[in-house]
Amino acid sequence: EEERQLWEAHIRALLAFQPKPYSDRVHLFRSPGHPLWCSFDPDFGWGDLARGGVQTTVVRGAHEKILEEPCVQELAAKLAQVLRQEQGEPVPPETGQPGPGGDAGGGSDDGEPDAVVWSGPRVEFPVESTYGQLFQAQVERARGALAVRVGEQELNYGELNARANQLAHYLQSQGVGPETLVAVCLGRSLELMVALLAVLKAGGAYLPLDPDYPRERLSYMLNDSRAQLLITENHLGALTGQPALCLDAPEELARIAQRPAENLPCRAGADNLAYVIYTSGSTGTPKAVQVSHRALLSHNFAIGRAFELGPPDRVLQFTPLSFDISVEEIFPSWLSGSAVVLRSQGALSSMGRF
């Protein structure tokens, strides 16, 4: 029963539209003459929804005990109700059969529609704040606590804040402010963490660039995004062929070190950009996705609550910065007082190192 409940929660969380049916999947909905079919893939965890009647088919195999015929029919009925509610259509009378949430299928006990109940509890957060403002508040609560570790190197919250402030002051002197896009192409280092935070504190938005990407892809993203500044290192700057602020250049480090370590006023607002990230481009040309401070904070507070993050926790920063999961690994951790631990570049080549 516990495994079944976890699988039902998995189905609720992983719903997506796909362009065609796949015969080896569990089909929950089918719309005759419609290009979309609703299916659930027990191997990959994706489903797609469409209007129309319900078809239930059990795929025999590893999940046979979980996806028994009554369970599939039950889930199909529940998903059909959600679709009708979303389309503003009347919901049929209750059948008395419990749905995945344990209710009989018209909504929760307090009368909320299933589409609302399934979305989870509402998470409150400061909707008019920016990330830099909330990070500064966290620093006041835990200045001496560990904030980030890379190998044997580490910074506490006070040190991370001070270094980010110096770079942020310098970035503002270079014209960085609201809606200014700053590309960041750095290896896995303390400097990478400082740079991301500094861009947000300066009021700008960061664009993550993976140093392992081909030069052509890096150049495309820089040109397409029209980033106004590139933060990198000398040996990586040659990959892009564009002028850059190199954090390992002695003259640049000297200029940054002269800037104050105190907090600076954030010129950005909640609706200003926090970062821009590009899709993989697996279906064509990579596309840019823009994320505001408000959206970033909404996600951060939801993640912090879901994982119950707190000061004792250490969160592994595993994915490349160009992968959006990196946002989930870094920023909620700092707002929760946790420490971000970056894996080494060589950890992927050896299980022993990892």
Side-chain angles (χ1 to χ4, degrees), residues 22-107:
Y22 294 86
S23 58
D24 59 343
R25 300 187 177 191
V26 177
H27 297 288
L28 297 183
F29 296 84
R30 182 175 66 179
S31 178
H34 195 280
L36 294 178
W37 290 42
C38 173
S39 64
F40 178 73
D41 184 337
D43 294 319
F44 299 100
W46 292 101
D48 46 70
L49 301 178
R51 303 179 183 88
V54 175
Q55 174 190 8
T56 59
T57 304
V58 176
V59 174
R60 305 301 174 186
H63 302 285
E64 182 174 345
K65 292 183 179 180
I66 304 173
L67 296 176
E68 296 174 345
E69 187 75 25
C71 177
V72 174
Q73 292 175 348
E74 177 183 320
L75 292 170
K78 177 63 67 173
L79 289 171
Q81 287 182 354
V82 172
L83 282 176
R84 283 190 288 266
Q85 291 167 359
E86 289 297 301
Q87 297 165 11
E89 299 177 8
V91 178
E94 295 180 3
T95 61
Q97 184 180 15
D103 61 293

Side-chain angles (χ1 to χ4, degrees), residues 184-189 191-192 195 209 211 231-233 236 247:
V184 179
C185 185
L186 293 167
R188 306 181 67 79
S189 60
E191 288 71 25
L192 173 62
L209 298 179
I231 298 178
T232 186
E233 299 168 342
L236 295 175
L247 295 186

Side-chain angles (χ1 to χ4, degrees), residues 176-201:
V176 174
E179 305 303 305
T180 303
L181 192 58
V182 179
V184 179
C185 185
L186 293 167
R188 306 181 67 79
S189 60
L190 293 180
E191 288 71 25
L192 173 62
M193 299 291 100
V194 170
L196 297 182
L197 185 57
V199 172
L200 295 176
K201 280 174 153 286

Side-chain angles (χ1 to χ4, degrees), residues 48-246:
D48 46 70
L49 301 178
R51 303 179 183 88
V54 175
Q55 174 190 8
T56 59
T57 304
V58 176
V59 174
R60 305 301 174 186
H63 302 285
E64 182 174 345
K65 292 183 179 180
I66 304 173
L67 296 176
E68 296 174 345
E69 187 75 25
C71 177
V72 174
Q73 292 175 348
E74 177 183 320
L75 292 170
K78 177 63 67 173
L79 289 171
Q81 287 182 354
V82 172
L83 282 176
R84 283 190 288 266
Q85 291 167 359
E86 289 297 301
Q87 297 165 11
E89 299 177 8
V91 178
E94 295 180 3
T95 61
Q97 184 180 15
D103 61 293
S108 66
D109 294 337
D110 60 4
E112 289 279 11
D114 289 313
V116 174
V117 174
W118 283 21
S119 68
R122 182 182 297 275
V123 177
E124 301 294 338
F125 69 97
V127 296
E128 299 300 329
S129 296
T130 63
Y131 188 87
Q133 292 169 333
L134 296 188
F135 179 84
Q136 289 168 191
Q138 180 60 45
V139 171
E140 296 304 317
R141 293 191 292 268
R143 184 173 296 272
L146 179 65
V148 58
R149 175 180 292 155
V150 185
E152 299 301 319
Q153 297 180 307
E154 60 183 42
L155 294 173
N156 61 35
Y157 274 87
E159 294 166 337
L160 175 59
N161 190 55
R163 288 185 56 176
N165 283 341
Q166 287 183 305
L167 181 53
H169 279 288
Y170 183 74
L171 291 176
Q172 285 190 344
S173 73
Q174 301 301 302
V176 174
E179 305 303 305
T180 303
L181 192 58
V182 179
V184 179
C185 185
L186 293 167
R188 306 181 67 79
S189 60
L190 293 180
E191 288 71 25
L192 173 62
M193 299 291 100
V194 170
L196 297 182
L197 185 57
V199 172
L200 295 176
K201 280 174 153 286
Y206 75 86
L207 166 67
L209 298 179
D210 191 335
D212 292 330
Y213 277 171
R215 177 170 179 170
E216 294 76 14
R217 183 181 175 95
L218 294 174
S219 296
Y220 167 78
M221 290 189 290
L222 281 169
N223 293 328
D224 182 70
S225 67
R226 300 180 182 178
Q228 298 182 31
L229 182 65
L230 169 64
I231 298 178
T232 186
E233 299 168 342
N234 275 312
H235 72 285
L236 295 175
L239 293 175
T240 64
Q242 297 195 10
L245 166 60
C246 295

Side-chain angles (χ1 to χ4, degrees), residues 279-311:
T279 62
S280 65
S282 58
T283 58
T285 305
K287 305 295 191 301
V289 179
Q290 301 177 332
V291 180
S292 68
H293 280 269
R294 181 177 286 115
L296 173 63
L297 291 180
S298 174
H299 173 263
N300 285 185
F301 275 81
I303 291 298
R305 174 171 177 166
F307 295 140
E308 299 181 351
L309 295 176

